[in-house]
């Protein structure tokens, strides 16, 4: 990602060019850069969103019947894969493919541009916790600069290929001051930045909506970044879920 806002990180999104601080950036997609294969089923809350048979975004199981993802991943219908390690094998032991009944974008999504990037997806049936599938609790406290967090997803690798198995990378939270300075007019309190060190660790295209886990709790969702992922000293942008705990709880209870 670079110093100007880039694209949301889902496969199906086109390239929207913006002129920001004199740079061209594209809105959108994220992938894991400079990470490694996750230990199988070490992220049992990880979800994969499919339209037809095509994977396009990540998600997170936050309740036995609800998955959280990025609002920019919205589609009219989805199939949600849970308990997956490889996208090539939807029959792997402990995995399930779930139909959905409802998806609800945050009412203030994209107000202003890119802000409030989250949605809830209701599964037609609740899932039972197992060794491969388990929901995760959402952080009640906001992230602090320097916090170490883990991002996971099946997004594009630095070589441009899609990985066979779930990828994991550890990144550090960047200060709010640095995040707002780097992303200039597009920054909003519903966001936080992480990654972008000298090691170029990052998320990328296809990781959108996937989890950012800090201190054992779900802290954020992959949202957007630069069109070119993994640029040194340029962090990615994530949905700041500590700002939305009330909306998430009330929406689940009301639906």
């Amino acid at each position: 990602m670079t110093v100007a806002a880039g694209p949301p990180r889902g496969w199906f999104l086109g390239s929207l060019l913006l002129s920001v601080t004199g740079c061209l950036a594209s809105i959108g997609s994220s992938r894991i850069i400079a990470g490694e294969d996750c230990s199988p089923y070490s992220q049992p809350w990880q979800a994969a969103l499919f339209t037809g048979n095509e994977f396009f975004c990540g998600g997170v199981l936050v309740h036995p019947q609800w998955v959280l993802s990025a609002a920019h991943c919205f589609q009219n219908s989805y199939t949600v894969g849970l308990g997956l390690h490889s996208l090539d094998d939807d029959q792997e032991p402990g995995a399930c493919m779930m139909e959905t009944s409802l998806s609800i974008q945050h009412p203030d999504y994209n107000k202003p541009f890119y802000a409030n990037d989250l949605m809830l997806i209701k599964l037609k049936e609740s899932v039972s916790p197992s060794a491969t599938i388990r929901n995760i609790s959402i952080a009640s406290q906001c992230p602090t600069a320097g916090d170490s967090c883990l991002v996971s997803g099946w997004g594009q690798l630095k070589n441009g290929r899609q990985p066979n198995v779930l990828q994991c990378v550890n990144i550090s939270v960047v200060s709010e001051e640095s995040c707002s300075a780097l992303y200039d007019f597009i920054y909003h309190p519903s966001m936080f930045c992480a990654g972008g060190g000298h090691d170029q660790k990052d998320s990328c295209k296809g990781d959108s909506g996937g989890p950012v886990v800090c201190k054992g709790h779900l802290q954020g969702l992959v949202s957007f970044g630069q069109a070119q992922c993994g640029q040194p000293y340029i962090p990615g942008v994530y949905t700041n879920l500590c700002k939305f705990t009330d909306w998430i709880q009330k929406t689940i209870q009301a639906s």
Side-chain angles (χ1 to χ4, degrees):
M1 308 176 204
T2 67
V3 183
R9 299 190 155 177
W11 288 109
F12 63 89
L13 290 166
S15 196
L16 173 62
L17 294 179
L18 294 177
S19 179
V20 183
T21 62
C23 301
L24 285 179
S26 85
I27 261 272
S29 302
S30 11
R31 71 204 155 212
I32 298 297
I33 302 293
E36 59 187 9
D37 293 359
C38 300
S39 298
Y41 317 114
S42 61
Q43 313 302 312
W45 40 81
Q46 177 81 46
L49 304 189
F50 298 85
T51 177
N53 292 320
E54 184 177 354
F55 166 77
F56 66 95
C57 271
V60 197
L61 189 69
V62 294
H63 176 279
Q65 202 170 358
W66 290 87
V67 167
L68 197 58
S69 187
H72 75 256
C73 292
F74 177 86
Q75 296 282 279
N76 290 327
S77 64
Y78 320 82
T79 302
V80 176
L82 298 170
L84 292 170
H85 184 56
S86 169
L87 291 182
D88 296 333
D89 185 8
D90 60 5
Q91 302 300 315
E92 61 183 295
C96 61
M97 304 297 287
M98 306 292 293
E99 297 301 316
T100 63
S101 60
L102 178 68
S103 56
I104 305 170
Q105 290 177 306
H106 192 276
D108 292 327
Y109 167 56
N110 232 9
K111 304 174 187 176
F113 206 32
Y114 293 174
N116 308 304
D117 188 14
L118 73 160
M119 70 172 170
L120 280 162
I121 302 170
K122 188 175 186 179
L123 306 176
K124 284 188 175 178
E125 299 177 10
S126 294
V127 293
S128 300
S130 68
T132 58
I133 300 173
R134 179 163 54 87
N135 58 287
I136 186 172
S137 60
I138 299 167
S140 57
Q141 296 190 338
C142 293
T144 302
D147 285 352
S148 178
C149 305
L150 187 141
V151 184
S152 54
W154 290 277
Q156 189 176 328
L157 304 173
K158 193 156 192 175
N159 62 11
R161 297 178 180 177
Q162 185 179 355
N164 291 323
V165 299
L166 187 67
Q167 300 291 295
C168 286
V169 66
N170 286 299
I171 58 175
S172 295
V173 175
V174 173
S175 71
E176 185 175 359
E177 292 76 17
S178 295
C179 186
S180 60
L182 279 165
Y183 284 92
D184 198 21
F185 73 90
I186 215 159
Y187 174 79
H188 185 266
S190 65
M191 309 167 182
F192 72 94
C193 288
H198 65 87
D199 50 16
Q200 302 178 35
K201 293 180 177 180
D202 199 2
S203 54
C204 202
K205 183 178 182 180
D207 290 326
S208 282
V212 183
V213 177
C214 314
K215 301 177 182 177
H217 293 87
L218 181 63
Q219 192 76 68
L221 303 171
V222 177
S223 184
F224 69 90
Q226 285 304 300
Q228 182 183 346
C229 307
Q231 297 189 51
Y233 306 106
I234 304 298
V237 183
Y238 300 88
T239 306
N240 199 3
L241 292 178
C242 63
K243 307 284 187 176
F244 299 103
T245 52
D246 285 349
W247 178 79
I248 292 167
Q249 290 173 358
K250 289 176 181 177
T251 302
I252 289 174
Q253 290 169 359
S255 303

